[in-house]
Amino acid sequence: MYCVFGCPWHDMHERHGKRNPVYVRVRHWAEQGVWDAMLQTLVDLGLTDDWQHTR
């Protein structure tokens, strides 16, 4: 399974605020392993196939 999350930053809805703070938050979560843990939980629960992390 190959997943791509999100959309181009310029397409982000204005209710989410300015792009840069959102980008910084999402990037921080990536550095802290939040996305990896979330995806691994989905695999462990059988809600998705195994996933491959690419950068």
Side-chain angles (χ1 to χ4, degrees):
M1 182 176 124
Y2 178 73
C3 293
V4 177
F5 291 96
C7 64
W9 290 108
H10 64 271
D11 290 341
M12 187 177 73
H13 195 278
E14 64 185 28
R15 73 173 175 250
H16 300 297
K18 295 187 180 210
R19 291 180 283 185
N20 191 58
V22 174
Y23 169 79
V24 170
R25 185 179 315 122
V26 169
R27 190 72 196 135
H28 176 74
W29 291 340
E31 291 168 357
Q32 297 300 310
V34 171
W35 301 118
D36 291 338
M38 180 188 68
L39 290 170
Q40 188 59 53
T41 299
L42 293 174
V43 170
D44 294 346
L45 292 173
L47 298 174
T48 188
D49 295 331
D50 201 6
W51 59 280
Q52 179 181 3
H53 184 261
T54 59
R55 289 189 184 221

